[in-house]
Amino acid sequence: MATDIIMPKMGESITEGTITEWKMNVGDTVKKDETILEISTDKVDSEVPSPATGEIISILFDANETVEVGTVIGVIGEKGEKINKEDNSEKSDLKDKDLIDTNKNITSSIEIPSNKPDIDLKNDYKVSSRFYSPLVRSIAKKEGLHLTELDNILGTGRGGRVNKLDILSYLKSKETSSSHDAITVNEESKKSRVPLSQDLDSKVEVMDPIRKKISEHMIQSQSISAHVYSTIDIDVTNLLKVKKTYSEVYKDKHSIKLTVTSLLIDACIKALSEFPLLNTSIVDTNIVHHKNINMGVAVALEDNNLIVPVIKSSEELNLIGLSRSLEDLSVRARNKQLDLEEVQGSTFTITNPGVFGGLFGIPIINQPNVGILSIGKIQKKPVVKETNFGDSIVIRSMMYVTLGYDHRLIDGAYGTKFLSYLSQVIDSYGDKIEI
Amino acid sequence: MSKYKGFSKKDLLDVYSKMYLSRILDQKQLILLKQGKGFFHIGASGHEAAELAAAKNINNKTDFSYPYYREQAFCIGLGMTSRELLLSFLAKDDDPNSSGRQMPQHFGSKKLNIVSQSSPTGTQYLQAVGASFVCQRKKNKAIVYVSSGEGTTSQGDFHESLNWASREKAPVIFHIQNNKYAISVPIEEQTSGESIYNITAGYDSLSRYDVDGCDFFESYQAFKLASERARKGKGPSVIISDVVRLLPHSSSDDHAKYRSTKELNDDKKRDPLILFKSECMKNKIIKAKEFEDLEQIIKEQVDQDTEWAELQDDPEPNSFSKNLFSDNININFSNESDIHKIDSDKCVMVDAINHALSEELDENKKMILFGQDIAGGKGGVFTATRGLTEKFGSDRVFNSPLAESSIIGTAIGMATLGYKPVVEIQFGDYIWTAMMQIRNELATLRYRSNGDWYCPLVVRVPVGGYIHGSLCHSQSIDGYFAHLPGVYIVYPSNAADAKALLKTACRMDDPVLFLEHKGLYRQNYASANEPDTNTLLEFGKGRYISFGNDITIITWGAIVQKSIEAVKELGVSADIIDLRTLYPLDIDIIKESVSKTNRIVIAHEDNLTNGFGGEISAQISEHLFEFLDAPILRVASKDLPIAYSSTLEENILVQTNWIKDAINKTINF
């Protein structure tokens, strides 16, 4: 009996996945739970384990193809079994339809580069039988016009030459005439066009699926949320002292690393408990108050991508538990071993560009959160402190922290109070920490 | 101890040590050159006595010197050290002469009041005369020393300078070192009657001395008399020193090719060092052994100094562009958009210029005006300086001799010593006799001295045609001078700009060529509401005369108005840009406009070939190619002399219809 290999649904918001690599070929025998292919979605690269033991009798989509969730992408059967055409007729109809749709998507969204990655637009315009001025050429390049398209523009210049006005009015008419179905198409094409026109000598590379998804998410987030930012300078001298004092103990007793990040997450959880509006989501005009604090932590990957594993119900963990979760999640994130649910369901996010030297970041909210905390670099600075003996300049370890939040729900007063409270929590770290 | 001819033994040893140092340095530099450590040397060997005699009469704190290239011994006499001279020979960064910018033996020292010298023969005289005018005005009994070889007295500038120095009884000493050869040309092929003394006769207050320049004592007496005379205000002197040239002209010359062995040997017998030593020994002032010891010490010192100098830094490679102009412009400039929106009385351009000069003469007591016909009741052939002598006195507003090189040359000298000459060349057509002064002196002084010396004068020049001025009263000269690094070029199109730009020119720290279109002087369309006395326009800021979308007209001077007419008659939507200054060129305003209109016409009055429009066109196609929707068209006068008859002139100088044609062609491309 044949078993279908199906593109898994990768979480509630996910509609499609891309096959990155088949680990098996048609005819290979496979055991249940053995990896048969790798896929990639907006959040994770994931291995797909075999749903059955048997032989792969059909592979329906090749690597790099993007397939809707739920689509059959291959079939496993008994050794020597053939696909029962009748049994699968309904499904294969669906497959064909999907295939067509998918192809359409690919061509319309990726356009020129996917077909001709090395296309040289400059040379393209040169082969025309018509003369184009430098300006017309540069506009055509910028707008990604094909030579044939350009050649068909009616010129009103000397001897029928296409001049600035001609190409601009052509572009204008194109925009309005294709407006019906063009809303998404134009959106799509704009994305790929704009960078293409910048430099003719550049190489064109298709984004890998994760990057594509990050890119979409970021743009989406910016159009959803009314981003607003507050920044505060926090004295982390005490926090560093605590870290120094206890990191040996943590290592010996619990075999985990006590890091600045885990201490900051701890402080952030405490602050979120005081300011619960930052631990919500907006759905239409409703505010969803989350019961738990699911702390997303941005982790930079070696391939230049980014993933946000989530420490679920983080408010229930003590510092040991937090540190352990953080270490475990970030190691597995870098090894691409995260399970799907481990990257979903965050209610607040922390990102730390400070470890790369950033003084402070202006982060984009991780949807559907309403807040994101960006940690800056820790640096020693002269600070004026009020003491009993008057003002004095002392050297303290200081760190900028920026809260990005959604002004649709949270106003400056609330956001800034959250930061002040966070600062107090961090400043109050002392020897009395619970371990 | 009794003195010999007024000199103590110590004095004489000092004189000899300096002559000998110069001699040894000549030898050392030639060795280094042959080792490939230098490229050029020009020696003073044979001239040392005359030069030391001169130096002994010059005060390096108050007097100023313009020594020519064969005056190493003079410079040593004034205080230049062997280390400094070796730094110059090796073109090292710390060379006080030019920081490695000029060839060796092109002397200059801020510390010793030696004004940086360039290479042309003869340009130094008029500058020295100008400098002596400043000394005269300061009334501090300071004098100016200037020198050359005998060949250079054939230059017109020499005679111009004798004339003006005599006219003013200027405190200047001309030292002509006659070694009988100008490179290879002997004096009999050079000078009338083989006598510089004779050809300098006839200048009223000029004192003349003909001395044996190999005899220190005789030479010294002449310089003593001449300098005392100058300090007393009795007038200039020319001292002709009969010297020998013991080396070829320079390291690039071989005198055996044109001088006989006998003649060379005869010269050696007149070696001033030998003569000096033997006179001192014969009179039992200094013993042979004492000379020998001194020579040994100097030789060793030069060897040590050479080792030291070779280890010094070369100029920083990225310093090559420094000090073409001053970096510090401390002028409170006006907001340029305001100066045409003021409410005041209208005035024509020539009056605006007159008012600017008057205001600046009030502002800066060191500012002076001179030129041909500019003084007195005439007040300039175009009346730009009318009334200014009356107002400021003939000390500050006066006529120059009818010699353009004299005007620029003396102005350079005065500007170098801190005065602000604003001079007039009556017609651009006649500026050419001053070209050497402008090209090799005015434009290069700051650069070649690495910022030690500079000459911030203003040269006002009426230019342009449309006045029935024919070939030599109609020329445009902007194309020639825009090629010249080191001079600002201003070319206003209207009275308001002219006043505000001229006032800025009067306050700049660098030379400004201020071009005034004589056809605009009294034109109604070039008149404007007069900006007030505090209005100063920054150079390098073009002005939009009109704004439009279809085409950009880049223009300046008299063609601004013709462009306005052309645009108006065609009814096109055009950016008209009046550049106002050609150096610096406002490339930003061009960029801004061209990226909007994408079509350009450049219109100027100068003739087409190598006109400044060619440069602008090139810069646009280099930097703004992708913005071009049509070829850049230039409208310029014909490559012809400008003819007198109206019917001919109209076919040679740019006409409004020509601009209209170019606009049409460009817009319909």
Side-chain angles (χ1 to χ4, degrees):
Chain A
M1 206 197 114
T3 309
D4 291 338
I5 307 164
I6 291 176
M7 176 62 75
K9 184 167 168 65
M10 312 290 281
E12 60 277 359
S13 66
I14 293 159
T15 57
E16 60 184 23
T18 302
I19 297 162
T20 45
E21 192 186 354
W22 282 97
K23 296 287 188 190
M24 302 276 178
N25 293 313
V26 173
D28 287 354
T29 48
V30 62
K31 280 183 188 153
K32 189 165 188 254
D33 295 343
E34 194 182 348
T35 300
I36 42 176
L37 77 154
E38 285 180 358
I39 59 161
S40 149
T41 68
D42 62 346
K43 292 277 188 184
V44 275
D45 286 349
S46 176
E47 295 172 343
V48 176
S50 174
T53 300
E55 184 185 299
I56 296 175
I57 55 173
S58 173
I59 287 176
L60 298 168
F61 294 91
D62 289 333
N64 287 326
E65 291 195 77
T66 302
V67 182
E68 240 178 59
V69 164
T71 306
V72 176
I73 53 179
V75 184
I76 293 167
E78 300 289 320
K79 210 172 166 76
E81 187 182 351
K82 292 275 184 290
I83 300 172
N84 184 336
K85 279 188 180 169
E86 276 173 24
D87 273 8
N88 286 320
S89 62
E90 205 186 323
K91 277 178 183 167
S92 58
D93 272 351
L94 188 74
K95 268 181 274 168
D96 286 346
K97 207 177 122 240
D98 283 350
L99 187 68
I100 292 158
D101 285 344
T102 311
N103 281 344
K104 203 173 77 193
N105 283 343
I106 289 169
T107 44
S108 65
S109 67
I110 302 182
E111 282 196 352
I112 309 157
S114 70
N115 300 331
K116 287 183 178 178
D118 290 324
I119 191 160
D120 185 341
L121 291 171
K122 187 169 67 182
N123 287 339
D124 234 12
Y125 297 137
K126 267 187 188 163
V127 300
S128 173
S129 54
R130 299 210 294 190
F131 167 79
Y132 296 112
S133 74
L135 179 75
V136 169
R137 281 195 206 186
S138 49
I139 293 173
K141 259 181 263 157
K142 200 169 276 175
E143 297 297 331
L145 285 191
H146 277 293
L147 176 63
T148 45
E149 228 175 332
L150 187 58
D151 277 348
N152 283 324
I153 299 174
L154 202 67
T156 62
R158 199 178 69 186
R161 187 183 72 87
V162 173
N163 61 27
K164 176 187 174 186
L165 211 63
D166 299 330
I167 189 166
L168 289 182
S169 48
Y170 169 78
L171 286 168
K172 205 168 180 185
S173 69
K174 195 183 159 197
E175 216 168 82
T176 46
S177 73
S178 61
S179 64
H180 176 62
D181 58 329
I183 292 169
T184 50
V185 174
N186 272 356
E187 286 290 320
E188 288 291 328
S189 49
K190 250 188 220 159
K191 281 177 216 156
S192 51
R193 264 193 223 139
V194 175
L196 265 184
S197 65
Q198 300 302 313
D199 186 348
L200 289 168
D201 295 323
S202 308
K203 266 243 161 101
V204 177
E205 182 199 355
V206 184
M207 279 184 182
D208 66 39
I210 287 204
R211 179 43 58 188
K212 233 160 77 185
K213 287 297 173 189
I214 293 173
S215 144
E216 280 166 16
H217 270 213
M218 293 298 107
I219 296 288
Q220 193 196 18
S221 179
Q222 283 197 313
S223 63
I224 288 175
S225 290
H227 280 80
V228 62
Y229 297 96
S230 300
T231 300
I232 192 168
D233 202 5
I234 298 180
D235 187 335
V236 292
T237 316
N238 291 341
L239 183 143
L240 291 178
K241 218 183 279 169
V242 166
K243 187 206 157 204
K244 204 182 164 196
T245 314
Y246 291 103
S247 55
E248 280 292 304
V249 182
Y250 268 57
K251 206 178 151 195
D252 294 341
K253 202 167 159 189
H254 309 292
S255 14
I256 45 164
K257 262 195 328 204
L258 178 64
T259 62
V260 172
T261 311
S262 49
L263 282 161
L264 290 172
I265 291 171
D266 183 57
C268 185
I269 291 164
K270 289 187 168 98
L272 282 173
S273 306
E274 285 297 309
F275 292 84
L277 211 50
L278 276 160
N279 196 50
T280 59
S281 296
I282 302 171
V283 177
D284 299 326
T285 50
N286 303 314
I287 304 162
V288 181
H289 295 272
H290 298 298
K291 190 172 147 243
N292 299 109
I293 298 171
N294 295 340
M295 183 62 74
V297 183
V299 175
L301 301 180
E302 273 173 11
D303 60 1
N304 203 28
N305 283 324
L306 172 78
I307 198 157
V308 185
V310 181
I311 305 173
K312 297 278 168 64
S313 304
S314 59
E315 83 281 6
E316 293 177 6
L317 299 174
N318 63 8
L319 192 54
I320 302 166
L322 276 178
S323 302
R324 201 182 293 287
S325 289
L326 182 66
E327 196 176 337
D328 170 55
L329 286 171
S330 40
V331 166
R332 286 192 296 117
R334 291 191 187 101
N335 295 337
K336 300 190 175 175
Q337 290 168 334
L338 289 177
D339 290 338
L340 186 58
E341 67 268 20
E342 287 172 318
V343 297
Q344 289 178 339
S346 72
T347 59
F348 189 86
T349 304
I350 286 190
T351 175
N352 190 354
V355 299
F356 303 109
L359 199 55
F360 59 87
I362 309 287
I364 295 173
I365 292 168
N366 184 21
Q367 296 297 328
N369 299 173
V370 295
I372 182 165
L373 194 72
S374 174
I375 311 293
K377 176 188 177 179
I378 296 171
Q379 46 187 356
K380 286 191 178 174
K381 280 185 195 165
V383 172
V384 178
K385 283 267 173 187
E386 288 176 6
T387 69
N388 297 334
F389 315 104
D391 290 351
S392 65
I393 295 169
V394 292
I395 297 169
R396 304 290 290 178
S397 294
M398 302 300 290
M399 175 184 83
Y400 287 108
V401 166
T402 301
L403 177 71
Y405 49 104
D406 194 336
H407 212 330
R408 287 181 302 165
L409 179 62
I410 296 164
D411 301 325
Y414 193 88
T416 313
K417 279 186 204 160
F418 166 85
L419 284 175
S420 301
Y421 186 81
L422 178 69
S423 172
Q424 281 171 33
V425 173
I426 290 172
D427 204 30
S428 67
Y429 269 117
D431 292 337
K432 287 178 198 158
I433 193 171
E434 220 184 279
I435 39 169
Chain B
M1 186 189 278
S2 63
K3 291 191 170 185
Y4 178 72
K5 295 189 178 174
F7 292 93
S8 68
K9 178 177 172 180
K10 196 180 155 216
D11 289 340
L12 294 173
L13 279 169
D14 179 60
V15 168
Y16 184 75
S17 70
K18 285 174 171 154
M19 293 200 290
Y20 189 74
L21 175 62
S22 179
R23 181 66 60 87
I24 287 297
L25 277 169
D26 273 349
Q27 290 168 12
K28 190 73 192 178
Q29 288 171 87
L30 286 168
I31 290 166
L32 287 166
L33 188 124
K34 285 166 197 163
Q35 290 169 338
K37 291 171 179 168
F39 315 107
F40 183 79
H41 170 257
I42 192 155
S45 294
H47 289 235
E48 294 95 336
E51 293 179 11
L52 258 299
K56 284 282 162 195
N57 285 284
I58 300 298
N59 182 326
N60 66 17
K61 298 273 188 302
T62 51
D63 299 337
F64 286 84
S65 303
Y66 288 75
Y68 83 124
Y69 45 71
R70 210 176 293 289
E71 281 208 293
Q72 180 174 272
F74 173 84
C75 292
I76 291 170
L78 230 51
M80 204 173 281
T81 65
S82 69
R83 283 190 172 194
E84 289 172 333
L85 288 159
L86 285 159
L87 286 173
S88 170
F89 178 76
L90 296 166
K92 295 296 188 181
D93 195 33
D94 285 341
D95 158 32
N97 295 280
S98 77
S99 297
R101 292 179 171 207
Q102 291 211 92
M103 294 165 98
Q105 285 80 44
H106 287 59
F107 301 107
S109 167
K110 192 79 188 170
K111 188 175 68 184
L112 302 173
N113 275 358
I114 298 171
V115 179
S116 166
Q117 292 301 292
S118 182
S119 299
T121 55
T123 43
Q124 67 270 41
Y125 302 124
L126 285 162
Q127 294 168 29
V129 172
S132 75
F133 292 164
V134 173
C135 294
Q136 218 169 15
R137 281 159 192 263
K138 284 184 179 167
K139 298 189 168 75
N140 64 353
K141 299 198 168 174
I143 62 172
V144 177
Y145 170 86
V146 60
S147 65
S148 77
E150 84 288 348
T152 300
T153 63
S154 299
Q155 290 281 3
D157 272 13
F158 176 62
H159 300 275
E160 286 187 29
S161 63
L162 291 180
N163 177 51
W164 205 350
S166 288
R167 191 192 96 175
E168 296 297 324
K169 292 194 174 174
V172 55
I173 298 174
F174 300 88
H175 184 195
I176 310 303
Q177 302 185 37
N178 177 15
N179 61 27
K180 274 78 80 197
Y181 280 92
I183 305 188
S184 69
V185 179
I187 189 164
E188 60 267 27
E189 293 175 31
Q190 184 77 253
T191 305
S192 156
E194 297 176 37
S195 168
I196 312 300
Y197 185 83
N198 286 348
I199 63 165
T200 53
Y203 291 102
D204 187 40
S205 63
L206 181 73
S207 210
R208 295 175 297 144
Y209 304 84
D210 215 346
V211 298
D212 179 358
C214 294
D215 182 339
F216 170 79
F217 301 99
E218 184 180 327
S219 301
Y220 181 86
Q221 283 310 310
F223 281 101
K224 191 161 180 275
L225 290 170
S227 58
E228 281 167 5
R229 188 169 181 276
R231 291 186 204 285
K232 282 178 189 156
K234 290 188 173 169
S237 299
V238 58
I239 298 171
I240 300 110
S241 298
D242 180 356
V243 294
V244 290
R245 196 182 84 189
L246 299 178
L247 289 168
H249 166 71
S250 73
S251 56
S252 315
D253 179 41
D254 174 8
H255 56 191
K257 286 180 178 163
Y258 52 86
R259 296 185 72 180
S260 70
T261 316
K262 183 184 177 299
E263 187 185 276
L264 289 170
N265 285 334
D266 287 348
D267 268 8
K268 279 180 196 158
K269 287 175 200 155
R270 290 188 63 222
D271 182 335
L273 269 62
I274 294 172
L275 296 181
F276 185 89
K277 271 204 286 190
S278 56
E279 185 165 349
C280 289
M281 290 189 288
K282 202 166 75 192
N283 291 289
K284 300 194 169 27
I285 319 285
I286 301 165
K287 295 187 183 93
K289 176 76 170 71
E290 286 175 296
F291 278 119
E292 276 168 33
D293 290 348
L294 186 61
E295 287 172 1
Q296 193 54 38
I297 289 166
I298 290 166
K299 263 188 203 165
E300 282 167 12
Q301 188 61 50
V302 167
D303 284 344
Q304 284 169 21
D305 289 345
T306 304
E307 282 174 24
W308 172 87
E310 284 186 67
L311 294 173
Q312 301 310 300
D313 290 340
D314 291 331
E316 279 288 321
N318 57 11
S319 70
F320 68 92
S321 62
K322 274 188 189 163
N323 282 316
L324 182 63
F325 290 105
S326 164
D327 291 332
N328 303 318
I329 297 175
N330 294 316
I331 297 174
N332 197 5
F333 292 114
S334 313
N335 185 340
E336 53 170 324
S337 58
D338 290 341
I339 93 153
H340 288 273
K341 290 177 187 161
I342 45 167
D343 189 23
S344 61
D345 288 345
K346 269 207 162 196
C347 78
V348 295
M349 194 159 112
V350 72
D351 290 345
I353 287 164
N354 180 280
H355 299 167
L357 292 171
S358 179
E359 287 171 14
E360 290 303 304
L361 281 163
D362 255 339
E363 172 81 21
N364 179 1
K365 301 300 169 209
K366 287 195 166 176
M367 179 163 147
I368 45 165
L369 307 188
F370 59 93
Q372 297 152 15
D373 298 294
I374 71 136
K378 177 85 178 163
V381 294
F382 299 105
T383 69
T385 52
R386 185 159 62 187
L388 297 181
T389 305
E390 196 183 356
K391 193 169 171 196
F392 296 98
S394 55
D395 266 3
R396 296 185 64 196
V397 182
F398 52 91
N399 285 326
S400 71
L402 206 169
E404 286 74 13
S405 190
S406 287
I407 295 170
I408 305 292
T410 52
I412 291 170
M414 295 188 84
T416 307
L417 267 63
Y419 268 68
K420 185 77 192 184
V422 178
V423 298
E424 180 179 298
I425 297 292
Q426 200 166 77
F427 287 90
D429 315 59
Y430 304 124
I431 201 169
W432 313 116
T433 46
M435 198 64 179
M436 181 76 99
Q437 291 285 357
I438 295 171
R439 175 72 183 91
N440 287 326
E441 302 286 349
L442 179 70
T444 68
L445 182 58
R446 185 187 287 276
Y447 184 81
R448 74 183 191 231
S449 66
N450 201 18
D452 276 353
W453 299 96
Y454 46 93
C455 49
L457 61 113
V458 180
V459 186
R460 291 180 39 247
V461 196
V463 295
Y466 306 100
I467 57 156
H468 301 103
S470 182
L471 283 77
C472 293
H473 298 85
S474 303
Q475 292 173 20
S476 289
I477 63 172
D478 36 317
Y480 285 92
F481 289 98
H483 188 63
L484 174 65
V487 175
Y488 289 116
I489 300 173
V490 183
Y491 199 163
S493 70
N494 62 76
D497 286 358
K499 185 178 179 194
L501 287 165
L502 181 55
K503 285 173 70 72
T504 299
C506 292
R507 299 190 191 188
M508 294 294 276
D509 256 350
D510 284 295
V512 180
L513 191 66
F514 195 88
L515 305 178
E516 300 166 7
H517 198 289
K518 42 194 183 281
L520 298 181
Y521 270 148
R522 299 187 178 283
Q523 284 289 358
N524 188 40
Y525 60 71
S527 67
N529 296 335
E530 186 178 342
D532 67 16
T533 184
N534 296 318
T535 305
L536 292 119
L537 267 182
E538 191 176 356
F539 289 177
K541 303 280 178 200
R543 172 186 170 220
Y544 285 106
I545 303 283
S546 70
F547 291 97
N549 294 313
D550 298 340
I551 191 164
T552 299
I553 323 279
I554 300 166
T555 184
W556 57 94
I559 310 303
V560 171
Q561 177 63 21
K562 296 199 187 304
S563 301
I564 294 170
E565 287 163 13
V567 165
K568 204 170 159 192
E569 286 170 31
L570 288 173
V572 291
S573 167
D575 273 357
I576 301 176
I577 295 172
D578 176 3
L579 286 179
R580 303 204 278 206
T581 62
L582 301 188
Y583 192 97
L585 172 65
D586 188 353
I587 193 72
D588 292 337
I589 197 173
I590 293 174
K591 219 175 255 182
E592 182 178 77
S593 177
V594 168
S595 49
K596 175 180 66 173
T597 66
N598 314 107
R599 291 162 197 261
I600 302 112
V601 165
I602 302 162
H604 62 64
E605 183 179 337
D606 205 350
N607 58 306
L608 185 75
T609 303
N610 278 0
F612 194 59
E615 173 60 28
I616 296 171
S617 172
Q619 291 204 23
I620 291 171
S621 60
E622 278 173 37
H623 305 300
L624 303 167
F625 183 69
E626 65 190 43
F627 292 106
L628 295 178
D629 202 21
I632 305 161
L633 287 197
R634 288 175 295 157
V635 182
S637 295
K638 300 280 165 57
D639 289 329
L640 289 167
I642 298 146
Y644 180 63
S645 148
S646 294
T647 57
L648 299 176
E649 191 194 77
E650 283 165 16
N651 278 289
I652 294 168
L653 292 178
V654 171
Q655 304 295 313
T656 304
N657 279 338
W658 302 9
I659 304 171
K660 282 164 74 177
D661 287 349
I663 293 173
N664 273 329
K665 260 192 208 166
T666 308
I667 283 193
N668 295 319
F669 179 80

